[in-house]
Amino acid sequence: MINMLITPIKTNFMTRNYLTNSKLAIYFLLLLISSSCVKFPAPGPGPVPGTTIPSDFNWKTVQDVNINVQVPSVSGIGDNYIRVIRIYTSPMLKDGSLIASGAAKPGSPLAVKLTLPTALTSVYVQEILPTGKRTVQKADISSTLLNITINNSTSNSQQAQVIATKASFTSPSISIPANYDVTLGATGSTTILGFDSGQSSAYGNTYKSYYIPAGVTRTASTNMSNYLSHAILYVKGNLNLSSSTISLNKTSIVILDGGSVTVKGLNTGVFDATIPIVYMQQNTSLTSSGTVEFNDGITIVNKGSMTVNGDIKMNVASTFYNEGSIALTKNNYGLQITNNSTLYNNGTINTKVLNLTSNASLVNDVSGKVTAITYYQTNGTVLDNFNELVVTTKLKAEGGGILNNYCNIAANVTEFQSAVVNLYDGSLWETQTSLMNNASITMNGGSMFLTGTISEVYKMYLLSSSSTYSVFKCTGNVPDMRWASSQVNGKIEFVHTNLVIGSSGTNGSLLYEALFNNNGSILSKVQTKNILASSCNDAAGQIEDPTPVIIDNDGDGVAAEFDADDNDANVAFVSYFPTETTWGTFAFEDLWPWKGDYDMNDLVLGFRVKLYSNSENKVTSMDFDYNIRAAGSSLILSAAFQLDKVNASNVTSVTGEPVSGTAPFAVSTNGTESGVNLAVIPLFNKVRDIITEDYSSFLNTLADSYINTPNKSVKIRFTSPVNLSDLNMSSINFFVVKNSAGETLRGKEIHLPTFLHTSKADVSYFSGKQLHPTDKYKFDDGMMWGIMIPEPFNYPFEYQAVDVAYLHFNEWALSGGVNFNDWYKNLSGYRDDTKIFTY
């Protein structure tokens, strides 16, 4: 191969000189001549003499930390009762930051070995008693061994209540014809048109109906700019118009069970029918690589899965009923609801941005869960939250916006500016930081507002007319409120845990006392009013515990409320890497054992690990979710992972995405690779086995070229349960096998540094190369071919080296991982966005 003749050039990380355009042209010409070539490798990062990467640098962005959680005896609760332990990376707890869960009893701690980002400084450990009472403790990661003892004491009292309030909306239905007027195939350009004057359906259909049957994937031009009477396109198969933005003019799309639609974008024009413009049945998908916009009083119903890489815009009295899932994946984009539009949600919504403006409204019903990075509400808008709203960065409401919380809202930062907030019985609003300016908060009895620091306050009105108490609790600092024109009126206990009695200094009681004794209001350092545990408030205000009443359908000792699967005694808890809702990234160069261009995009694979354990904290099965984000390589790349501490004979089955073909990976009847002792789990033999949508040489590494790639998953079931510590990321050995076109050799494995090859690797590749003497997956100057990052990674464009795109990569590597251990994050001064692929 031409590229094997190129001697790796040792150049300074900081001042690398790149080949001129003329040289690149010559090399590309040579590459075209060679039949077995790959893309030309520009010189990769490498040290200058005397300034080297430490020889023992492991290139890890993570570390293994052993955590032991001890729980004490509690009065009124037998030591034989299981305490549920959950470990999070964030104090919010509801933002998808769960990383581990398990069981503990007095004298029997939970012991786990977790793989954590080296940039992570703290974890948050939650104990849940059988009564539902929850305690959270912060633990700083000061070493690789953390011994944590939960500080908890309780006494017996009353039973918990359950919240039953709900919004109860009903989405509209749509008729499905017994016969369709026009059936479309995979080919042949078509314009969707309704009946002309004097025409009608031979089958009695109100609207002219077009149909894409199951098994048909239509990619031909399909124009929906209808200018006649209304028409409907029914999709039972697949409509793939990924290069086109669809404009619906007098046209509806109905996606039938099993059907899918893929578009570049979607917008609406004239619509004069009384039916939904988009209707998605269960088990359907709508994927858009650009913005989706609904205007002018139209209706949308989603009972399937909608994924949009841009905005969803709802404008001018439009109505959206979501009973499935909505995912908005692009940074700084999301749901924009405005001008009297309404979103009813009884499914799941994950978005970067959620904005309500100009009299818009959001109703989040009893099964609805909304997660956003930022949330903004203003100008006469209304939120009715009957289940769960999580805002991981900042929730801001202003301009007279009304927020009615019937259940649970959690936000990292909460800012109220001229907002009206109503908290109903059994509800909880939880936030790390609060900013209050002209905010009116009405607290019904049994509600709770829990905040860390109040950073700003002016005209904060805490009001209650209930006959029972609510609790406003602050666990951080509170500003001086003597001149803040604020009031606390009614049966509200204001708990300030940092209160200094009799002081006028920081957090001194003299700064607040004048606000209290109004119709029962109380200022306390220690909470005295018990807030009964509810299905919404996480028992955050319960200081008196009822006697445990445990429902345990599978008899494993874990209450149904906290059991991951209460009908399966083999599954009680789930642990994750990186977290419950985030994904990590494997990024590879493909030219091992020679150096490449170090754009780290030859294979970029997003992944998430889920470990399902029983009540004895033993893993009975695991999921490996993955997504091929990019493949900037002309080689044939295959991927698998070895479980370094699990024998293949201990795997009962591997199910999920099947492996196509038998080379380089052949699969045994139990789903592991054949002919190996340790469990090797093949994922794919070729990238194009997974990415079936057509793309040119490189997948998602060139500007203005993006394909929305699918999520895949495999499940591994174990014959005998496995220790949690044997399945952390130090024991999950992901690797790539590379081949030139026409080859199917199994032995060309590329692993991450510190990991060993499998028994099927061809070790002859280790000889006669400039490889590191102690680690054959590092070059002799210390550089690597693969890296794992504990979050989604915005990799460089084609031919843009990682140290040019990420400005602190060099300092991290040359320091042996000590400096800038968060170099991969999107922080100010950390990267050159012009050299980074984003989607």
Side-chain angles (χ1 to χ4, degrees):
M1 291 170 56
I2 290 293
N3 48 31
M4 287 189 177
L5 302 178
I6 300 170
T7 302
I9 301 173
K10 290 186 177 182
T11 57
N12 190 318
F13 269 2
M14 308 297 186
T15 59
R16 179 184 308 106
N17 293 319
Y18 288 95
L19 297 175
T20 63
N21 290 335
S22 61
K23 289 182 179 179
L24 280 173
I26 294 170
Y27 275 107
F28 276 117
L29 180 60
L30 290 172
L31 287 173
L32 292 172
I33 295 171
S34 173
S35 62
S36 62
C37 297
V38 299
K39 63 183 183 181
F40 172 71
V48 295
T51 307
T52 60
I53 302 167
S55 62
D56 60 349
F57 181 40
N58 59 21
W59 290 98
K60 290 188 176 181
T61 58
V62 294
Q63 63 177 332
D64 290 338
V65 178
N66 291 283
I67 300 179
N68 297 310
V69 183
Q70 301 271 1
V71 296
S73 296
V74 175
S75 175
I77 300 176
D79 287 354
N80 59 314
Y81 283 105
I82 281 177
R83 322 291 176 78
V84 175
I85 304 297
R86 294 175 177 170
I87 304 175
Y88 298 82
T89 60
S90 163
M92 284 188 62
L93 307 188
K94 286 184 172 293
D95 61 353
S97 61
L98 178 67
I99 51 175
S101 59
K105 297 178 182 178
S108 300
L110 171 67
V112 292
K113 186 177 184 179
L114 301 180
T115 302
L116 303 175
T118 53
L120 186 69
T121 58
S122 303
V123 293
Y124 298 83
V125 181
Q126 180 186 59
E127 179 200 32
I128 305 175
L129 295 176
T131 60
K133 186 174 188 293
R134 306 177 186 214
T135 300
V136 179
Q137 288 184 204
K138 178 183 178 182
D140 293 332
I141 305 171
S142 55
S143 70
T144 57
L145 173 61
L146 300 181
N147 291 306
I148 301 165
T149 300
I150 299 295
N151 181 16
N152 193 0
S153 62
T154 57
S155 60
N156 277 342
S157 187
Q158 327 152 39
Q159 296 293 330
Q161 62 176 335
V162 176
I163 300 301
T165 308
K166 60 180 180 179
S168 298
F169 67 82
T170 302
S171 61
S173 59
I174 198 165
S175 62
I176 310 299
N179 297 284
Y180 298 92
D181 299 300
V182 180
T183 298
L184 300 177
T187 59
S189 298
T190 297
T191 298
I192 304 295
L193 293 173
F195 296 120
D196 205 345
S197 177
Q199 293 181 330
S200 63
S201 170
Y203 306 108
N205 298 327
T206 303
Y207 306 108
K208 189 171 183 179
S209 61
Y210 293 75
Y211 179 58
I212 299 176
V216 172
T217 297
R218 179 174 175 80
T219 57
S221 173
T222 307
N223 187 339
M224 300 184 199
S225 298
N226 176 26
Y227 57 86
L228 297 175
S229 61
H230 197 79
I232 304 177
L233 172 62
Y234 295 86
V235 182
K236 182 72 172 176
N238 305 293
L239 176 63
N240 190 336
L241 303 175
S242 57
S243 61
S244 303
T245 296
I246 300 302
S247 181
L248 298 178
N249 195 72
K250 295 187 176 182
T251 303
S252 293
I253 295 179
V254 177
I255 311 178
L256 301 172
D257 191 349
S260 70
V261 172
T262 303
V263 295
K264 185 177 181 181
L266 190 150
N267 57 57
T268 57
V270 175
F271 197 86
D272 53 7
T274 58
I275 59 175
I277 192 168
V278 174
Y279 190 98
M280 299 171 60
Q281 292 186 336
Q282 293 180 341
N283 305 310
T284 61
S285 67
L286 171 62
T287 303
S288 176
S289 58
T291 290
V292 171
E293 189 164 1
F294 300 111
N295 288 307
D296 299 327
I298 58 177
T299 300
I300 309 97
V301 176
N302 172 38
K303 299 185 179 184
S305 174
M306 183 179 292
T307 303
V308 177
N309 190 45
D311 283 322
I312 293 179
K313 296 182 177 180
M314 296 175 55
N315 199 1
V316 192
S318 295
T319 306
F320 197 138
Y321 297 88
N322 179 53
E323 299 173 52
S325 66
I326 300 175
L328 295 103
T329 59
K330 191 170 184 178
N331 287 336
N332 303 318
Y333 287 76
L335 276 168
Q336 311 286 347
I337 310 170
T338 189
N339 290 336
N340 297 292
S341 295
T342 300
L343 171 62
Y344 294 98
N345 178 54
N346 207 25
T348 60
I349 298 174
N350 286 281
T351 180
K352 310 300 183 185
V353 175
L354 202 167
N355 289 343
L356 274 70
T357 57
S358 300
N359 301 306
S361 59
L362 167 61
V363 178
N364 191 39
D365 210 347
V366 289
S367 296
K369 180 173 181 179
V370 180
T371 303
I373 293 177
T374 62
Y375 175 99
Y376 177 70
Q377 180 177 344
T378 189
N379 289 354
T381 54
V382 178
L383 165 69
D384 288 308
N385 177 55
F386 293 91
N387 192 35
E388 187 172 299
L389 169 64
V390 178
V391 182
T392 60
T393 301
K394 186 174 184 179
L395 180 152
K396 182 175 181 179
E398 65 179 5
I402 299 173
L403 301 95
N404 298 314
N405 184 31
Y406 295 88
C407 195
N408 190 291
I409 295 178
N412 187 39
V413 176
T414 296
E415 180 176 353
F416 295 141
Q417 300 275 354
S418 300
V420 177
V421 182
N422 297 301
L423 305 182
Y424 290 88
D425 188 11
S427 68
L428 171 67
W429 191 302
E430 185 173 7
T431 186
Q432 304 303 306
T433 303
S434 301
L435 297 85
M436 306 286 189
N437 183 7
N438 198 24
S440 175
I441 303 175
T442 298
M443 304 187 69
N444 290 278
S447 65
M448 187 169 188
F449 193 103
L450 176 60
T451 183
T453 291
I454 300 178
S455 62
E456 297 178 18
V457 62
Y458 182 73
K459 289 188 177 180
M460 177 180 71
Y461 303 115
L462 300 181
L463 309 173
S464 176
S465 59
S466 297
S467 60
T468 56
Y469 272 89
S470 55
V471 171
F472 188 103
K473 187 174 183 178
C474 177
T475 58
N477 297 325
V478 177
D480 185 344
M481 290 201 291
R482 287 175 295 182
W483 300 280
S485 299
S486 299
Q487 63 171 287
V488 183
N489 196 314
K491 290 190 174 181
I492 299 172
E493 181 176 26
F494 190 107
V495 182
H496 182 2
T497 60
N498 288 341
L499 190 69
V500 181
I501 305 297
S503 171
S504 59
T506 302
N507 297 318
S509 63
L510 300 180
L511 307 181
Y512 323 111
E513 288 177 351
L515 298 179
F516 295 90
N517 298 317
N518 298 306
N519 300 310
S521 61
I522 302 170
L523 174 65
S524 305
K525 180 176 177 64
V526 177
Q527 182 182 341
T528 64
K529 302 300 182 182
N530 188 51
I531 301 295
L532 290 175
S534 75
S535 56
C536 291
N537 67 16
D538 299 333
Q542 183 166 288
I543 58 174
E544 300 172 355
D545 284 337
T547 302
V549 178
I550 295 179
I551 299 172
D552 182 11
N553 295 312
D554 57 13
D556 62 358
V558 181
E561 182 181 358
F562 310 116
D563 197 325
D565 186 346
D566 198 42
N567 295 308
D568 185 349
N570 291 315
V571 178
F573 306 109
V574 190
S575 298
Y576 303 88
F577 182 87
T579 72
E580 182 180 6
T581 58
T582 59
W583 290 49
T585 308
F586 288 111
F588 278 85
E589 283 291 299
D590 64 1
L591 290 186
W592 179 91
W594 309 101
K595 273 197 166 185
D597 54 8
Y598 279 95
D599 50 22
M600 301 308 296
N601 65 24
D602 296 344
L603 181 70
V604 181
L605 186 126
F607 75 97
R608 177 177 54 190
V609 176
K610 304 176 189 174
L611 303 175
Y612 300 89
S613 54
N614 58 26
S615 59
E616 297 178 348
N617 300 320
K618 299 281 189 177
V619 180
T620 56
S621 64
M622 68 176 285
D623 291 346
F624 187 92
D625 302 332
Y626 67 96
N627 183 300
I628 301 174
R629 309 288 191 199
S633 174
S634 296
L635 292 172
I636 307 300
L637 300 182
S638 314
F641 59 92
Q642 177 174 276
L643 301 177
D644 285 347
K645 295 184 179 180
V646 178
N647 289 326
S649 60
N650 195 34
V651 173
T652 300
S653 64
V654 180
T655 55
E657 183 67 23
V659 178
S660 299
T662 59
F665 295 119
V667 178
S668 299
T669 55
N670 71 347
T672 63
E673 185 181 16
S674 59
V676 293
N677 291 325
L678 293 176
V680 174
I681 313 298
L683 297 178
F684 52 86
N685 279 322
K686 292 185 296 184
V687 169
R688 290 183 186 269
D689 292 338
I690 303 296
I691 311 300
T692 57
E693 190 167 349
D694 187 43
Y695 63 92
S696 57
S697 298
F698 301 148
L699 170 68
N700 291 347
T701 65
L702 301 172
D704 301 320
S705 175
Y706 173 71
I707 290 176
N708 193 29
T709 55
N711 292 340
K712 301 292 184 179
S713 184
V714 294
K715 176 177 282 292
I716 302 104
R717 291 182 171 85
F718 300 113
T719 306
S720 299
V722 179
N723 291 328
L724 267 169
S725 59
D726 290 339
L727 289 170
N728 66 352
M729 292 307 298
S730 293
S731 303
I732 298 177
N733 184 355
F734 183 85
F735 65 97
V736 171
V737 172
K738 67 160 188 172
N739 279 289
S740 297
E743 293 181 337
T744 56
L745 301 176
R746 169 62 179 81
K748 296 180 180 179
E749 296 182 1
I750 310 174
H751 292 254
L752 304 185
T754 75
F755 286 89
L756 299 178
H757 57 82
T758 76
S759 60
K760 287 198 170 185
D762 185 347
V763 297
S764 68
Y765 288 102
F766 296 163
S767 303
K769 314 298 190 304
Q770 289 179 280
L771 297 178
H772 197 277
T774 62
D775 190 332
K776 300 308 177 183
Y777 294 105
K778 292 196 294 188
F779 202 69
D780 66 356
D781 63 9
M783 279 302 292
M784 49 68 198
W785 281 269
I787 195 168
M788 189 272 282
I789 295 169
E791 62 183 52
F793 177 55
N794 295 124
Y795 50 86
F797 278 119
E798 204 63 53
Y799 307 117
Q800 298 292 339
V802 65
D803 67 313
V804 175
Y806 283 89
L807 308 181
H808 297 298
F809 177 88
N810 299 339
E811 293 159 272
W812 174 67
L814 291 173
S815 70
V818 174
N819 300 330
F820 291 101
N821 57 14
D822 59 352
W823 62 267
Y824 48 83
K825 291 182 176 291
N826 186 9
L827 301 175
S828 177
Y830 270 47
R831 55 191 237 177
D832 182 348
D833 287 332
T834 66
K835 296 178 172 61
I836 293 175
F837 190 97
T838 55
Y839 53 88

